[in-house]
Amino acid sequence: EAIKNCLSTLHRYPDANSFLLKEQLSKKLGIPPGCIIPSNGSNELLELLSKVFLRPGQEVIIPEPTFSLYAKFTQAMDGIPIRVPLKSFSIDLRAVLQKISPRTKIIFINNPNNPTGTIIKKEEFEKFINNIPENIIIVLDEAYAEFVETSDFPHGKNYLDTQRWIIVLRTFSKVYGLAGLRIGYGLASQELTHYLNKVRQPFNVNSLAQAAALAALEDNAHFEKTIQIVSEGRQYLYQKLDQLGVHYIPSQSNFIMIHLGEKCAQLYDSLLRMGVIVRPLTSFGFPKHIRISIGTSEENKRFIDTLKKALSIINECKNGKI
């Protein structure tokens, strides 16, 4: 409805500074508008960060596997990605600290991490940032933070007034369901946002996206319903996967990483042929895993029923019945 109400004014340019959106976010998050920078999805912020702060030969520490664009934007600016393997499917902060060198400029932390759904908890995060040199930028990507259920989660907005350079990435694509409109925002000190705004393109957030984001922030009923559906769906999927004897990584997000073993590729193909699309994780370095998005109760049930059928077909082939 908010988008429809904007259709008659599309001949006008959008608000270049997203004033109303920053005001609304400021009230909701309890931080000054000057610490907020709306963007064309969080991807734009990744690009701005690399353009403003990264110089050829400087290093960017990236726990992996994680969101692929961290490395791509680093390489686009002739930076050097320093990859740190996960430990037990979680970001290994101790190993990250060990990789810091005089050339380190940025550290990316995806919390919850994609594709594993695991999180860094508050105490370990605070110990971590206290050991980071003040000239290094810590990028906290919190695209899935709204889905976290534990109270022991270090929301990045609470650390903006520390002595560290921290920028938090947030998005309207996940819990708010506005992925097609490409709108997100960053949270940082006013000094950091000032630098980023120097290279940000004018009118980077279109008027329809701004209107939709404003409406989404006011729609608490939809927000709470989405969180409830994901939470209930997560528990349903855990229960059914346990019954099937299928291992998974407990998640604090709206997706689950599932271990399918040596038959992963075959099961993926079988699911696809039966009309269920999941994410194979071979490109993330996990050829025996898939990632599924938690959907509606009907979608979750269809996935489980189809997975059960695919597992049955493979077992019958293994036993020579087909």
Side-chain angles (χ1 to χ4, degrees):
E1 290 301 316
I3 288 174
K4 288 179 181 178
N5 291 337
C6 286
L7 295 180
S8 63
T9 60
L10 290 185
H11 59 291
R12 300 186 181 276
Y13 284 98
D15 176 6
N17 291 310
S18 303
F19 176 81
L20 294 177
L21 180 57
K22 287 197 290 187
E23 287 290 314
Q24 186 74 359
L25 284 168
S26 174
K27 292 176 183 177
K28 187 176 183 68
L29 300 173
I31 64 175
C35 293
I36 303 169
I37 176 169
S39 61
N40 188 269
S42 55
N43 289 359
E44 183 192 20
L45 286 170
L46 294 174
E47 183 177 21
L48 293 180
L49 280 163
S50 63
K51 284 182 176 179
V52 173
F53 297 109
L54 197 57
R55 298 293 176 266
Q58 290 183 327
E59 296 176 350
V60 177
I61 299 177
I62 306 171
E64 284 201 338
T66 191
F67 189 42
S68 62
L69 286 187
Y70 305 153
K72 288 185 179 180
F73 282 123
T74 297
Q75 292 167 327
M77 297 304 297
D78 286 332
I80 302 172
I82 304 298
R83 306 172 196 272
V84 180
L86 302 184
K87 183 179 181 180
S88 300
F89 298 99
S90 297
I91 294 174
D92 187 348
L93 293 182
R94 182 176 297 182
V96 169
L97 288 173
Q98 292 173 348
K99 290 293 185 179
I100 292 175
S101 78
R103 296 183 299 278
T104 303
K105 188 62 182 180
I106 298 172
I107 299 174
F108 281 105
I109 301 292
N110 192 198
N111 201 28
N113 188 48
N114 177 18
T116 59
T118 55
I119 64 167
I120 296 167
K121 294 186 177 180
K122 186 176 181 180
E123 183 179 357
E124 58 179 329
F125 176 73
E126 291 178 354
K127 287 181 180 178
F128 171 74
I129 61 172
N130 287 335
N131 285 286
I132 300 297
E134 294 183 7
N135 63 317
I136 294 176
I137 298 169
I138 305 168
V139 181
L140 279 176
D141 189 342
E142 296 183 344
Y144 300 94
E146 290 90 349
F147 298 106
V148 174
E149 293 186 337
T150 179
S151 59
D152 193 17
F153 181 75
H155 290 281
K157 70 183 182 70
N158 298 327
Y159 299 92
L160 300 184
D161 58 354
T162 65
Q163 296 302 309
R164 301 298 182 272
W165 282 35
I166 295 176
I167 180 165
V168 184
L169 310 184
R170 303 299 291 265
T171 180
F172 284 91
S173 294
K174 311 304 180 185
V175 72
Y176 294 107
L178 302 180
L181 288 172
R182 306 311 305 133
I183 180 164
Y185 59 95
L187 307 173
S189 67
Q190 295 196 38
E191 183 181 6
L192 272 178
T193 56
H194 172 72
Y195 293 141
L196 294 171
N197 275 315
K198 281 182 173 291
V199 297
R200 177 181 62 86
Q201 292 190 33
F203 314 118
N204 63 321
V205 180
N206 69 75
S207 55
L208 300 185
Q210 290 186 43
L214 280 168
L217 289 172
E218 296 172 356
D219 193 351
N220 290 323
H222 177 269
F223 180 92
E224 295 297 335
K225 183 178 180 181
T226 301
I227 297 296
Q228 180 183 352
I229 288 172
V230 169
S231 180
E232 292 175 352
R234 187 190 294 124
Q235 295 307 314
Y236 167 82
L237 289 165
Y238 286 173
Q239 179 187 18
K240 295 300 181 181
L241 290 169
D242 285 339
Q243 290 174 2
L244 291 172
V246 175
H247 179 67
Y248 54 87
I249 309 303
S251 174
Q252 288 286 333
S253 188
N254 67 332
F255 55 79
I256 303 174
M257 182 175 173
I258 298 175
H259 180 262
L260 295 179
E262 299 294 340
K263 302 293 184 181
C264 186
Q266 191 176 347
L267 283 166
Y268 166 76
D269 186 64
S270 184
L271 289 170
L272 188 62
R273 290 176 184 276
M274 288 186 274
V276 174
I277 302 174
V278 299
R279 178 73 181 268
L281 296 180
T282 301
S283 62
F284 285 87
F286 292 115
K288 298 179 182 180
H289 292 75
I290 61 169
R291 188 191 67 188
I292 63 165
S293 296
I294 301 168
T296 63
S297 58
E298 294 82 6
E299 291 168 336
N300 296 334
K301 185 178 185 302
R302 183 180 176 192
F303 165 72
I304 290 295
D305 290 344
T306 308
L307 178 61
K308 189 183 301 183
K309 188 182 296 184
L311 287 168
S312 177
I313 292 171
I314 285 179
N315 288 333
E316 288 178 359
C317 289
K318 182 179 179 181
N319 296 328
K321 294 182 179 179
I322 296 180

